[in-house]
Amino acid sequence: MSGKAIRQAIDAGRWEGVEIHAYKPEGSAPFRDVTRQVLFSRPDLGCDWRYFEVGAGGHSTLERHAHVHAVMVLRGRGACLVGSEVRAVGPHDLVEIAPWTWHQFRASEAEPLGFLCLVNAERDRPVLPSADDLKGLRADPKVAAFIRP
Ligand code: MN
């Protein structure tokens, strides 16, 4: 964090003084073409406010965990899985991911998907689906067609 109180937007999904990081360490979990930016992170806030951008055709990790995500789509088009629900999402849509709910975001083939995500600063590590979990998820054809494990 730069320490500057005001950091101007440079472009859609880009801000001065905000570094663009890899979503996760390569090889740590399955994903495709995702970047991560930390917009706000300070101990007295108790939360981290991040911006993720999934490139066209890309996807975040299919995962679940005890901590909650509060998401607002900022730009682009895509879809997400939350539990057993698969929905198209676009700018300003809100997505709440409750504890231990399977979730995954995918960008459309034509456009990236950029979203803001609020999380507790102290949080547990995401869990990936086991073979049994995948079997359960795939029991729903709509979910089976959507997920990229
Ligand atoms: Mn997550």
Side-chain angles (χ1 to χ4, degrees):
M1 192 75 25
S2 66
K4 288 173 70 181
I6 298 172
R7 292 163 290 150
Q8 286 190 308
I10 297 165
D11 199 353
R14 301 287 176 268
W15 296 267
E16 64 177 8
V18 178
E19 286 178 47
I20 300 175
H21 298 283
Y23 169 52
K24 293 177 178 179
E26 200 66 48
S28 65
F31 65 89
R32 182 177 160 194
D33 194 8
V34 186
T35 59
R36 174 176 58 89
Q37 298 177 70
V38 181
L39 307 181
F40 299 97
S41 179
R42 43 183 297 159
D44 51 356
L45 193 58
C47 289
D48 292 340
W49 199 5
R50 302 90 48 87
Y51 174 75
F52 293 95
E53 199 164 288
V54 184
H59 59 82
S60 67
T61 303
L62 173 61
E63 63 180 31
R64 65 178 183 167
H65 37 66
H67 64 272
V68 169
H69 290 313
V71 169
M72 181 190 280
V73 176
L74 196 64
R75 63 183 296 247
R77 286 277 153 201
C80 65
L81 166 77
V82 181
S84 58
E85 190 177 11
V86 176
R87 284 279 290 272
V89 289
H92 308 153
D93 286 345
L94 302 174
V95 182
E96 185 172 312
I97 298 159
W100 296 111
T101 306
W102 292 112
H103 56 282
Q104 184 166 47
F105 287 85
R106 284 176 54 191
S108 71
E109 292 298 324
E111 275 186 80
L113 178 70
F115 59 90
L116 301 162
C117 179
L118 185 68
V119 284
N120 288 125
E122 283 191 29
R123 54 188 183 269
D124 61 322
R125 296 184 67 81
V127 174
L128 302 178
S130 67
D132 273 355
D133 291 330
L134 285 174
K135 210 167 140 185
L137 285 159
R138 285 179 173 135
D140 181 336
K142 187 165 40 70
V143 175
F146 180 80
I147 57 173
R148 298 289 182 271

